[in-house]
Amino acid sequence: METQLNNKKDEKAKSVKITCIICALALALSFIGCGTGDNSSSVGKSSGQTIVKGSENIKPISVKGFFSNIGKNTGIYKIIHTETAEEIAQAEAEEAAFEAEKAKDPFAGKKAPGWQSFFMMMIGFLIVYLGAGRGFEPLLLIPIGFGTILVNIPGAGMGNGPDGMLHIIYKAGVGNEFFPMLIFMGIGAMTDFGPLIANPKVALLGGAAQFGVFATLFGVALLNFIPGIDYNMKQACAIAIIGGADGPTSIYVSGKLAPEMMAVIAVAAYSYMALVPMIQPPIMKALTTKKERQIKMSQLRPVSKAEKILFPMVLLVITALLLPPAAPLIGMLAFGNFVKNCGVVERISKTMENELMNIVSILLSLGVGSQMTPEKIMNANSLGIIVLGLVAFCVATATGVLMAKLMNLFLKEKINPLIGSAGVSAVPMAARVANKVGMAEDPTNFLLMHAMGPNVSGVIGTAIAAGVFIATYGH
C-alpha cells in the first residue's frame, strides 16, 4: 500500500513538472514569434526586427524583455519594490493615454445601408433557431440572437446612446470588466474542482489546449498580409484569447489591450462557446479511432472537503504572488468556489450559481448581441477576427486530443482522448460534448466527470494566458 501511495505521489510530481515545462515552452515560442514575426505590410525595422504594421508605437518585446516584464509584474516584486516618482508618473501617463484611446469610437459616424441591417437581423433569427430549434446552448444563443435582432431594427434605436436599452446594458457591464467578473464568480460557485484534484495529470490537457491561444498570434501576423486587414500586437493578444473559447476572459483582455475591438471579439468568443456541440465532434472523431473513443477510465478517487476548500485559496495565493494581472479572473473564480465548498454560506452560494448567474448571463448575452451591427461586423478586420477565432478554437480542440494520445504512449492506465477536447474553457459545455461523443460509441462509457478535470484546468489556463498578455503589453 505504501509503495502504491509513493507511486501516485511520484506520478503527480511528474505531471506538475511536465505541465510547467510545456507552459514555459509554449510561452517562449509564442513570444519569440511576437518579437520577430515578419510581415509584408511592415513599415519599418528596428535593430534587425520587423515591426508588425500598426505596432510601431508599441514597444517590441524580446524574449529577455518578456521575462523582464513578467518579473516586474509579479506580486513578489511589487511587494519588495517601492515605486519611484518617475515610475509613478510614467504609469499615470500610460493610464491617461489608455483612457483617451478607450474613449475613441472607431465606428462613430458610420452608417450601414438598410439591407445590411436586414441581413444582420436574419443572422439574429438564425442564431435564435440554433438555440431554440437545435438546442445549441440556448441559454447563450437565444439572448444573443434577440439582441442582434433588436439592435438592427431600423428606427427602433435600442442600441443608440445614451438611452437605448441595449446601449445601457453594454456600457453598464459588457464594455468593462463588471459582467465578466460576475460570470467568473458564478462559474466558481458552479464548478467542482474535484476531478482535477483527483487526477492532476489531466491539467496537461488544459495546458495543451492553450496552444490554440498562442497559435492565433501567428495567425494574426499572417492575416496582416491581406489588404484591408491591419492588427497590432495588442489587438493580436486580445484576439488570441478567443482560442480558449472563454467569453468573459475575451472581454476582460480586450478591455485591457484593445477596447476598440471588444465588440467583435465578444461576439466571436461567445458564438464559438455556444457552437461547441457543432464544432468539436468532427475534430474529435477525425483525430481518434473507434477503439480510442471506447476507452473506459477508472473511477476517480474521492476528494476530501479539506482539499476542495484549500484548492481555490492556494490557487489564489499563487496567482497573487506570481501573476497579479490574472488575479481578478482567478480571484473571482476562487471566491465563488470557496463559498461553494466552505459550507457555511449556502444562501450566497445558491444565489451565485442560480439567480445571479442567470441574470448576468441574460444581460451579458443581450449586450453581446447588441454589438452585432453591420458597421462592426461587416468589415475586413472584423471578419478576420471571426475566422481567426474559429481556427484558434479548432486548434485548441485538436491539441487537447493529440496531447491525450501522446500521454497514452507513456501511461499504463490509458486516458480516453475525447476528454482532451474539454481542455478549452467552455465549461461545462465542452465536458458534456466529450461525454456525449463517448456515449455515442459506448452507452455505458460515462466521461463527464473525467472531462471536467481538463475543462476546469482550461479555465485556469486561459485566465493565466490572459494575465501573461496583460503583463506583457498592458498599460
Side-chain angles (χ1 to χ4, degrees):
M1 178 64 73
E2 185 176 350
T3 303
Q4 291 178 346
L5 290 173
N6 288 334
N7 289 337
K8 287 183 179 180
K9 289 180 180 178
D10 291 340
E11 185 180 358
K12 290 180 181 179
K14 289 180 181 178
S15 298
V16 172
K17 290 179 181 178
I18 294 172
T19 303
C20 294
I21 292 170
I22 289 177
C23 290
L25 287 174
L27 292 173
L29 289 173
S30 299
F31 283 93
I32 288 171
C34 293
T36 61
D38 189 18
N39 191 311
S40 64
S41 300
S42 300
V43 297
K45 295 186 178 181
S46 175
S47 303
Q49 290 183 329
T50 301
I51 307 300
V52 175
K53 187 173 75 172
S55 301
E56 300 82 22
N57 296 323
I58 298 175
K59 183 180 179 180
I61 304 295
S62 63
V63 175
K64 180 180 177 181
F66 163 68
F67 286 108
S68 176
N69 280 1
I70 294 295
K72 290 180 180 179
N73 277 279
T74 62
I76 297 172
Y77 177 84
K78 292 182 180 298
I79 289 172
I80 63 177
H81 174 73
T82 302
E83 288 186 321
T84 64
E86 292 180 356
E87 290 174 333
I88 294 173
Q90 182 181 357
E92 291 176 348
E94 290 176 354
E95 181 69 27
F98 174 77
E99 292 298 330
E101 187 68 25
K102 189 175 180 179
K104 295 178 182 178
D105 184 359
F107 304 102
K110 295 183 180 180
K111 184 65 179 177
W115 68 268
Q116 290 186 1
S117 296
F118 178 78
F119 178 75
M120 294 304 298
M121 287 178 65
M122 293 301 101
I123 291 179
F125 281 113
L126 174 62
I127 293 173
V128 172
Y129 167 72
L130 291 174
R134 300 296 298 275
F136 293 139
E137 296 305 324
L139 295 177
L140 283 176
L141 286 190
I142 291 177
I144 289 176
F146 267 91
T148 304
I149 296 167
L150 294 173
V151 79
N152 285 289
I153 297 175
M158 293 189 69
N160 296 341
D163 299 322
M165 173 190 167
L166 296 177
H167 175 82
I168 293 172
I169 291 174
Y170 181 80
K171 287 295 184 181
V174 183
N176 51 48
E177 60 186 63
F178 182 50
F179 286 171
M181 294 297 99
L182 293 179
I183 289 289
F184 256 73
M185 184 173 68
I187 290 173
M190 296 171 65
T191 300
D192 181 8
F193 285 108
L196 178 59
I197 300 170
N199 192 10
K201 63 177 174 287
V202 297
L204 285 170
L205 304 179
Q210 302 313 309
F211 278 101
V213 173
F214 294 108
T216 309
L217 293 174
F218 297 98
V220 170
L222 290 176
L223 277 186
N224 271 3
F225 283 107
I226 301 174
I229 294 182
D230 179 16
Y231 305 119
N232 61 42
M233 286 312 303
K234 288 187 176 183
Q235 293 168 342
C237 291
I239 295 168
I241 293 296
I242 299 174
D246 192 333
T249 306
S250 297
I251 293 174
Y252 181 76
V253 175
S254 60
K256 296 289 186 182
L257 298 181
E260 71 280 1
M261 286 191 164
M262 182 187 291
V264 67
I265 287 173
V267 168
Y270 271 94
S271 297
Y272 294 131
M273 276 181 64
L275 295 177
V276 164
M278 181 184 294
I279 297 171
Q280 284 197 320
I283 300 171
M284 297 158 66
K285 292 177 181 178
L287 296 176
T288 57
T289 64
K290 185 178 181 67
K291 183 179 179 180
E292 287 175 328
R293 294 194 292 272
Q294 291 178 332
I295 292 176
K296 288 189 176 182
M297 299 176 65
S298 59
Q299 186 174 354
L300 295 170
R301 72 169 179 86
V303 177
S304 67
K305 183 176 180 180
E307 288 177 292
K308 290 185 177 182
I309 291 175
L310 287 175
F311 183 84
M313 302 307 293
V314 172
L315 180 64
L316 177 59
V317 170
I318 292 174
T319 305
L321 291 176
L322 300 182
L323 197 62
L329 294 170
I330 297 293
M332 295 305 288
L333 184 74
F335 171 49
N337 192 254
F338 181 81
V339 167
K340 171 188 175 70
N341 289 303
C342 71
V344 296
V345 281
E346 187 176 353
R347 286 174 56 190
I348 297 178
S349 175
K350 294 290 185 184
T351 300
M352 285 182 181
E353 62 181 300
N354 292 300
E355 291 85 358
L356 182 61
M357 188 68 167
N358 290 336
I359 291 170
V360 177
S361 295
I362 292 170
L363 295 176
L364 183 59
S365 299
L366 280 173
V368 169
S370 73
Q371 301 306 298
M372 294 276 282
T373 59
E375 298 87 359
K376 296 176 181 177
I377 300 299
M378 299 179 71
N379 61 72
N381 272 353
S382 297
L383 294 177
I385 290 173
I386 292 172
V387 171
L388 277 174
L390 177 59
V391 172
F393 183 51
C394 292
V395 170
T397 300
T399 51
V401 174
L402 293 175
M403 175 56 77
K405 291 166 70 77
L406 177 63
M407 291 172 65
N408 280 342
L409 298 177
F410 306 98
L411 295 174
K412 292 181 180 179
E413 190 173 340
K414 304 301 180 184
I415 295 173
N416 191 313
L418 293 177
I419 71 170
S421 65
V424 297
S425 299
V427 58
M429 290 173 278
R432 290 205 302 260
V433 170
N435 183 64
K436 184 177 180 181
V437 174
M439 291 187 68
E441 300 291 342
D442 181 357
T444 65
N445 194 7
F446 298 98
L447 297 173
L448 182 61
M449 293 310 296
H450 296 287
M452 282 302 297
N455 208 180
V456 296
S457 71
V459 175
I460 297 170
T462 304
I464 291 173
V468 169
F469 287 153
I470 295 169
T472 305
Y473 285 108
H475 62 281

